[in-house]
Amino acid sequence: MNGEATGASTQSIFTRDLPVTEANYVPLSPISFLPRAAALFSENLAWIDSGDSCNWRDFFTSCRKLASALENSGIGPGDTVSALLHNTPEMLEAHFGVPATGAVLNAINTRLDVEAIAFILGHAETKLLLVDLDLLSNTKAAVELLDGQKPKIVVVGGQQAGPYEFIDYCEFVSIGDPNWAWRVPSDEWDALSLNYTSGTSGNPKGVVVHHRGAYLNAISNTLTSQMSDETVYLWTLPLFHCNGWCFPWTLALVGATSVCLRKVEPATVFKMIIDHGVTHMCGAPIVYNMLLNFEREATESLPQRVTGFLGGASPPASVIAGCEALGIDVVHVYGLTEVYGPSAMCLPRSDWSQLPADSRAKMLARQGVASPLQESMAVMDPITMRPVPHDGESIGEVFFRGNVVMKGYLKNPCATEAALEGGWFHTGDLAVTEPDGYIKVVDRSKDVIISGGENISSLEVEEVLYRHHSVLHAAVVAKPDDKWGEVPCAFVELKSGAVKNGSELIAHCRERIAHYKCPREVVFCELPKTSTGKIQKFKLRGHFSEI
């Protein structure tokens, strides 16, 4: 049969005379949720910040004024607007107002040093920078390091500082049109945000996020979180981290309320949960560990159950069990900046509720299955690209594929090609697939300790250390060894009042895992962490080069 007969060179009967029009196709973008929230949930609170609050109708107006002000300042499609802001209403506004102009939002880690900020501003070619007043000193120093055109700086909270050479945010948005015509991009593949990886060595990579992926991940969050217009969400997760895991847009979709939080302090978190009836929160294991180890008068469980999404390093089962007893139902999510934050979750199964607390916690500590709107997640041999057996023992690399995967790395085609080689995003995380189809990450490929030819999972050793009553935080890395090549070394941060006893901790491990996996040395110190609570193992490895 020739090509014409099979329809290879002609239109299908299902496409001929059935055009794509404005009536049947609209590009997907999470900023489209905002006008709906303003109409449907107009009187619901969009945010609470200290003694102030704002409903969804007025929040929409604020975002329109911001978009209009940006446009009046020359910001347009493809421009970069950076933000060095805490978890404040202005940061929430930026997640809608900036992309509404077609510009790209670059939310920067507020704890970076001057050189790192300067690199990001230069690499992103930032045209306008929103910055919190208390971050202005580092920002000014970073801008001074830039060559060529400097970004325009708009300061949040500047009126309290008196006259200065930068534009005040309130003054800036006051020129904006409250009736500015809200719009989504004509192409859902357009860049929405630019998020820089933490970069454990060398300069960080700029992850480009598209409107389609953010729209789908925001909906995916809704499907897995059981959020509604009665949800009260506490911002214990930095909004600069993967755009708050897409939750700013999720909350707009359901008309929920944000409780802003500039700094995570246990006393404040407990007060917010109680005062505002918080129902949901997100954070790294360190956030939940802080809550568990905070001494407070009311040691009983919280007055209402809180759903706590936990991401980052694999959580110790003890943390999950402790949170459950406190009143926080932990949902373990997994992902990376390149997949918009959480693109997998440990979906709780009904039969797990019958398990003992420790056993249930171990099940919940796994990385689980792909989120509803992420096409696929698989553990595969990185050479053959074939799935590993579902035996809980065969180790492979975790791969993602689907709409919730980055466009690529900004100005880095080689890294982009390598990350997306073979039609899958390569995470670099090593995992097993268990018989029930759930995956469990056993280590980062660079964190596996190879001792005498045997592979040792640092996460397995850390899990055992966390079971000791005195351990607050633990990290295990490879220590060079003349005989074995490398051996496990544990870095431990103790709970308040605990006594340093390395021999006791090593003995604790030897009672629970194979002796060759046990730490040969224990170093007691405060562990270096990122602003999102991840322990920086690369800094711990540097300990040995200094000896």
Side-chain angles (χ1 to χ4, degrees):
M1 298 175 68
N2 59 37
E4 186 173 348
T6 62
S9 60
T10 61
Q11 281 190 317
S12 160
I13 61 172
F14 297 104
T15 57
R16 188 173 61 246
D17 302 324
L18 298 174
V20 173
T21 72
E22 292 183 1
N24 60 18
Y25 172 78
V26 176
L28 303 181
S29 171
I31 66 172
S32 67
F33 301 147
L34 185 52
R36 177 178 179 273
L40 187 58
F41 310 111
S42 59
E43 298 302 324
N44 284 25
L45 292 183
W47 55 258
I48 298 169
D49 183 34
S50 298
D52 202 1
S53 62
C54 177
N55 63 32
W56 279 104
R57 181 187 61 249
D58 293 340
F59 180 69
F60 183 33
T61 299
S62 296
C63 293
R64 294 166 88 175
K65 291 179 69 176
L66 172 59
S68 174
L70 290 169
E71 201 167 68
N72 291 341
S73 297
I75 298 299
D79 290 335
T80 303
V81 175
S82 295
L84 261 167
L85 298 171
H86 298 295
N87 289 357
T88 60
E90 293 81 7
M91 186 59 141
L92 291 171
E93 290 172 10
H95 276 77
F96 293 90
V98 172
T101 67
V104 180
L105 175 64
N106 165 226
I108 301 175
N109 186 330
T110 58
R111 298 176 70 179
L112 293 179
D113 58 32
V114 170
E115 289 74 18
I117 294 171
F119 169 79
I120 290 173
L121 294 176
H123 190 262
E125 300 180 24
T126 298
K127 288 195 173 181
L128 186 141
L129 173 61
L130 305 172
V131 59
D132 197 284
L133 178 63
D134 69 2
L135 301 171
L136 186 55
S137 178
N138 273 3
T139 302
K140 289 171 60 179
V143 170
E144 288 171 2
L145 294 177
L146 298 177
D147 295 324
Q149 188 71 29
K150 313 285 187 183
K152 181 180 296 184
I153 297 178
V154 177
V155 180
V156 172
Q159 286 183 329
Q160 288 74 31
Y164 54 88
E165 66 269 34
F166 303 115
I167 306 169
D168 172 64
Y169 183 84
C170 292
E171 180 182 332
F172 178 73
V173 297
S174 68
I175 65 173
D177 180 2
N179 298 308
W180 186 81
W182 197 253
R183 55 181 182 264
V184 299
S186 58
D187 188 346
E188 60 188 21
W189 182 246
D190 282 353
L192 165 63
S193 69
L194 172 65
N195 298 316
Y196 281 80
T197 59
S198 54
T200 56
S201 61
N203 289 320
K205 297 190 288 289
V207 175
V208 181
V209 168
H210 48 81
H211 283 258
R212 177 181 177 85
Y215 177 96
L216 294 171
N217 207 39
I219 295 175
S220 201
N221 286 342
T222 307
L223 296 173
T224 57
S225 66
Q226 299 181 326
M227 287 183 169
S228 71
D229 61 331
E230 296 182 347
T231 292
V232 180
Y233 179 91
L234 178 61
W235 277 106
T236 43
L237 173 76
L239 271 159
F240 62 70
H241 189 53
C242 304
N243 301 112
W245 295 355
C246 294
F247 274 99
W249 304 306
T250 297
L251 299 174
L253 174 60
V254 299
T257 301
S258 288
V259 178
C260 296
L261 188 65
R262 294 176 68 92
K263 186 177 181 181
V264 176
E265 295 173 328
T268 305
V269 171
F270 280 118
K271 180 174 172 38
M272 294 288 190
I273 290 174
I274 295 169
D275 289 354
H276 300 296
V278 168
T279 60
H280 291 73
M281 58 187 285
C282 295
I286 187 175
V287 171
Y288 296 94
N289 213 5
M290 285 169 58
L291 298 181
L292 290 176
N293 288 282
F294 177 67
E295 295 183 5
R296 61 194 188 101
E297 292 183 6
T299 55
E300 70 276 4
S301 60
L302 296 167
Q304 74 274 356
R305 302 298 296 184
V306 177
T307 298
F309 292 92
L310 186 156
S314 295
S318 59
V319 170
I320 293 180
C323 285
E324 190 174 81
L326 180 63
I328 301 175
D329 298 317
V330 171
V331 178
H332 185 207
V333 295
Y334 164 71
L336 303 89
T337 305
E338 290 86 344
V339 290
Y340 299 62
S343 276
M345 66 172 298
C346 193
L347 184 69
R349 308 300 289 265
S350 58
D351 56 330
W352 295 356
S353 62
Q354 307 302 317
L355 297 172
D358 287 349
S359 299
R360 184 168 61 252
K362 288 179 180 178
M363 299 292 275
L364 291 169
R366 299 178 299 171
Q367 281 62 36
V369 296
S371 295
L373 298 183
Q374 180 65 282
E375 185 65 24
S376 185
M377 176 178 67
V379 178
M380 300 188 290
D381 183 309
I383 305 300
T384 65
M385 296 300 285
R386 292 178 180 172
V388 301
H390 291 200
D391 57 12
E393 296 181 0
S394 302
I395 297 176
E397 183 178 350
V398 182
F399 293 87
F400 280 103
R401 168 187 281 170
N403 294 295
V404 190
V405 174
M406 66 172 180
K407 291 186 71 164
Y409 297 115
L410 183 66
K411 302 178 184 176
N412 199 334
C414 292
T416 300
E417 183 179 358
L420 304 178
E421 185 181 3
W424 291 83
F425 169 64
H426 301 234
T427 68
D429 285 336
L430 302 180
V432 297
T433 304
E434 301 198 323
D436 61 359
Y438 281 52
I439 78 160
K440 179 180 180 181
V441 170
V442 296
D443 229 328
R444 289 287 295 172
S445 57
K446 62 188 177 186
D447 290 338
V448 169
I449 301 166
I450 304 175
S451 183
E454 297 284 354
N455 288 354
I456 301 171
S457 166
S458 63
L459 296 183
E460 179 185 3
V461 185
E462 289 162 10
E463 170 68 32
V464 172
L465 286 167
Y466 273 110
R467 292 185 216 166
H468 194 277
H469 60 84
S470 68
V471 174
L472 178 63
H473 302 299
V476 175
V477 301
K479 175 185 177 182
D481 185 84
D482 292 338
K483 181 178 180 180
W484 301 107
E486 52 190 30
V487 294
C489 177
F491 288 80
V492 172
E493 187 173 332
L494 295 174
K495 294 179 181 178
S496 178
V499 178
K500 297 178 181 179
N501 191 328
S503 298
E504 181 180 328
L505 289 178
I506 292 173
H508 168 82
C509 292
R510 290 173 69 88
E511 292 174 2
R512 290 162 176 81
I513 53 176
H515 290 186
Y516 76 89
K517 297 181 179 181
C518 296
R520 301 296 181 90
E521 179 184 355
V522 177
V523 178
F524 294 98
C525 63
E526 181 178 350
L527 301 186
K529 308 173 189 74
T530 68
S531 58
T532 56
K534 294 181 181 179
I535 295 171
Q536 296 173 305
K537 287 190 174 182
F538 73 97
K539 290 187 176 180
L540 299 178
R541 294 188 192 97
H543 170 83
F544 303 114
S545 62
E546 298 170 0
I547 297 176

